[in-house]
Amino acid sequence: SVPDVRPYLAHAACAVAPLRIARGIQNKVLEAMAMARPVVASAACAGPIAAAPGQELLAAETADDHVAQIAFLLADPVHADNIGRAARRRVREHYSWDAHLAPIDRFLAENSA
């Protein structure tokens, strides 16, 4: 347990979420994406997150797939950075408080008299 995961993510070349069983959206994956870290996640983690495969999030099925995706990111830091920046955009556009509250704001604006 750490009080704040952000310092660890800030120094990470990538984040890995090899969970075999995952229910719903994994907040740790979103945290890494929000910090512009490229993420390699199991299909169970990647599925619920509406991210473009290979562009905003990398998915892996087996341990060998995870290793290959991590090696790919480490071998090409520019591409890894592009994936991380795209991941951050995805989180800001679809998972931020502003993104989630916008429909409520619209509803209230349309229905207040």
Side-chain angles (χ1 to χ4, degrees):
S1 175
V2 297
D4 187 353
V5 72
R6 291 174 296 177
Y8 298 93
L9 287 172
H11 294 288
C14 67
V16 182
L19 303 175
R20 291 184 184 156
I21 298 173
R23 301 284 188 255
I25 294 175
Q26 299 301 309
N27 288 325
K28 296 299 181 195
V29 172
L30 291 178
E31 286 176 345
M33 292 172 68
M35 293 213 37
R37 298 297 104 202
V39 176
V40 178
S42 63
C45 288
I49 297 175
Q55 297 173 8
E56 299 168 331
L57 179 73
L58 300 177
E61 291 290 332
T62 67
D64 288 340
D65 293 341
H66 277 83
V67 170
Q69 294 285 28
I70 294 165
F72 166 73
L73 292 172
L74 295 177
D76 191 346
V78 172
H79 192 73
D81 185 58
N82 289 337
I83 292 171
R85 284 189 280 115
R88 179 169 171 73
R89 278 192 303 276
R90 168 62 61 180
V91 170
R92 288 179 58 90
E93 291 171 4
H94 297 280
Y95 296 101
S96 68
W97 280 108
D98 289 341
H100 279 279
L101 294 177
I104 295 170
D105 290 340
R106 282 193 299 275
F107 175 81
L108 292 173
E110 292 168 2
N111 294 289
S112 63

